[in-house]
Amino acid sequence: LGGALELASTEIKFAFDPQTHAVAAAAPKRSLEIHGVIEEAMVFANAAVARRIHESFPTAALLRRHRSPTADRFERLQRAVRARGLDVDCSSNLALAQSLQRIAGEAGDADMAFLVKAMATLAMQEADYFATGDCATEAFAHYGLALEYYTHFTSPIRRYADIVVHRQLLAALQEPSETPKPTELSQAWVGTTAMRLNERNRQSKLAQRESTELFQSRYIAQLSGDGQHVVADGVVAEVRTNGLIVFVPKFGIRGPVHLRDKTGHIRLPLSTLTGRPRDADTHIDGCSDFSADAGRLSIRLPIDAPAFHLGGGANVAFSVFDHVTVLLRVLETRRRRAPVYMTLVSRASSNIRAYRSTLAPLDRTFR
C-alpha cells in the first residue's frame, strides 16, 4: 500500500519442554514473505468493508482510526539518526515510510534498522475504534496504513469488534424492509462499545506484555542456573541520565543497563574494559565526568584504569545504535515475574577515545 508504514514488532515465540513444561527456547517470531501477502489482502478487505458500512450507516459504523503523531514525538528519532549521518523525513506518512526504507538500505545494520522502526513505532499514537457519528470525516483516516477508511472485519473468531462489523455489513447488504434495525446500528451503542473495546484492547496488550516478560524471565533463570553466564549481543536503544536502554535481539529483551546509582555514584563495570563476564560485579573506582544527553553518554576513566596505560585518562562513550555485549541475570524477588537485568560486559573498541594521541598497546588479556 502506498505510504503505509512498516513498523517494528517484537513478538516472541516460546517453546516448552513437553515433560517438565519449562521454557525450552525463546526467540523473536520469524516473519515469512507469505505473511506479508496475507496481511495486505486482509487490509484491503478491512478497508473495503469500512467504506461500505459507512456508506450505509454514516453515523453508526464502527471504524478504526490512527491519528497523525505530532512533530515533537519524532525529535528523539531524528536526533539519533542524524548522529549516524543519516536523515529521516517525518513530514508525512509517505515521507516517513520512504525514509525508513532508505535507512534500512543505507545503514547496513539489521539491528539498527529494526531500532529505527521501533523508535518510529513508539512515536505513534495508539489506533482506536470509534463511531462515525462521533467525529468529522476528516478524522477517520488511518495514518499507519495510509487509508481514508479502515476497520476490523477479517478476524471475528478472536475479536468482538469484527463480529459487530460483520453484523453491520450484513445489515448493509439487506433491503431496509427485510429486518428490524439491530442494536449494532445505534450510534449511541456503537460509541459506547467502541470505548469499551479500546479499554479492553489496552488491557490485553498489557497482559500480553507481562506474559512475555514472565516467560523471558523464566528462560533466562534456567539458562543461568549452576552459575552459568548468559551473555548476549545487544544494541543501545536509548540513553538515559543513569545509563542505557539496551535491546537484545536474540531474546527480544529490552531493558536498562545502569551505569550510575541512585546516589549519583558512577558504577562502570570492570568487564567493560576486560570483556570478561566474571568482572561484571567489580566496578572501576575513580570514574568521573558522567555526561548523558539524548543520544550519547560518556564517562571519563581514571588515570590508573587497569586496561589503559595512559598518561592522562580516557573517555568511554556510548551512542544510540552502538553494539554492546551484556550479561543477563534474573533479580531474585518474591514477585511472580522476577525482572531480567543487564550488566555491561563489553563495547565496540571505537567507543573508547583517548584524551591524548599516544596510547600504549593494550595487554592482550584486555582485548
Side-chain angles (χ1 to χ4, degrees), residues 293-357:
D293 58 27
R296 186 175 184 275
L297 181 150
S298 64
I299 300 172
R300 185 171 184 175
L301 295 170
I303 294 175
D304 59 349
F308 292 88
H309 311 293
L310 301 176
N315 204 37
V316 182
F318 301 93
S319 298
V320 175
F321 307 130
D322 278 352
H323 285 254
V324 295
T325 304
V326 293
L327 173 65
L328 294 92
R329 290 176 282 187
V330 174
L331 183 64
E332 295 299 332
T333 67
R334 294 183 178 181
R335 291 188 296 172
R336 178 178 176 84
R337 180 174 57 86
V340 176
Y341 69 99
M342 307 182 201
T343 307
L344 202 59
V345 171
S346 64
R347 73 288 170 273
S349 59
S350 61
N351 293 345
I352 290 194
R353 301 178 176 83
Y355 277 101
R356 298 191 176 184
S357 58

Side-chain angles (χ1 to χ4, degrees), residues 40-271:
E40 189 162 338
M42 293 171 68
V43 167
F44 277 121
N46 288 335
V49 171
R51 189 178 292 273
R52 181 64 178 85
I53 60 176
H54 177 248
E55 289 174 356
S56 296
F57 315 112
T59 63
L62 178 65
L63 301 190
R64 188 165 176 82
R65 64 184 172 185
H66 184 207
R67 283 174 268 198
S68 302
T70 54
D72 61 293
R73 285 175 169 261
F74 290 112
E75 289 180 1
R76 185 168 66 88
L77 169 62
Q78 290 174 320
R79 284 196 299 265
V81 169
R82 286 169 184 163
R84 291 287 177 170
L86 301 171
D87 190 37
V88 57
D89 184 354
C90 304
S91 59
S92 68
N93 49 4
L94 176 60
L96 179 59
Q98 293 173 338
S99 291
L100 294 177
Q101 289 177 348
R102 187 185 69 254
I103 289 171
E106 294 177 357
D109 182 340
D111 293 330
M112 175 182 170
F114 176 86
L115 281 178
V116 170
K117 290 182 180 180
M119 294 171 75
T121 303
L122 289 173
M124 301 292 168
Q125 301 188 60
E126 281 192 343
D128 62 338
Y129 299 104
F130 68 100
T132 49
D134 292 341
C135 62
T137 307
E138 303 80 56
F140 289 5
H142 196 293
Y143 177 86
L145 295 175
L147 293 170
E148 294 180 0
Y149 293 87
Y150 192 68
T151 191
H152 277 164
F153 166 77
T154 55
S155 301
I157 61 172
R158 65 183 181 91
R159 280 191 306 237
Y160 182 64
D162 299 61
I163 294 176
V164 173
V165 172
H166 269 249
R167 291 170 179 169
Q168 291 191 338
L169 180 61
L170 285 173
L173 297 176
Q174 291 174 342
E175 293 295 331
S177 59
E178 289 184 8
T179 182
K181 184 177 180 181
T183 303
E184 288 83 354
L185 301 184
S186 160
Q187 179 182 342
W189 185 90
V190 173
T192 301
T193 301
M195 288 190 291
R196 290 176 180 168
L197 288 171
N198 292 331
E199 175 60 26
R200 301 315 298 168
N201 187 47
R202 284 189 288 269
Q203 294 299 321
S204 68
K205 286 182 179 179
L206 289 174
Q208 181 181 14
R209 186 178 69 185
E210 292 195 1
S211 174
T212 297
E213 291 174 353
L214 169 64
F215 289 112
Q216 285 173 327
S217 172
R218 290 189 172 184
Y219 185 51
I220 297 300
Q222 290 167 203
L223 293 178
S224 56
D226 301 324
Q228 296 296 313
H229 290 132
V230 182
V231 178
D233 294 330
V235 187
V236 177
E238 191 176 341
V239 171
R240 296 279 182 90
T241 56
N242 63 345
L244 310 169
I245 299 295
V246 172
F247 173 66
V248 180
K250 181 179 180 180
F251 302 117
I253 294 176
R254 176 188 170 105
V257 172
H258 295 118
L259 298 176
R260 186 161 63 173
D261 62 23
K262 293 180 180 179
T263 63
H265 291 97
I266 299 172
R267 310 280 286 175
L268 183 67
L270 178 60
S271 56

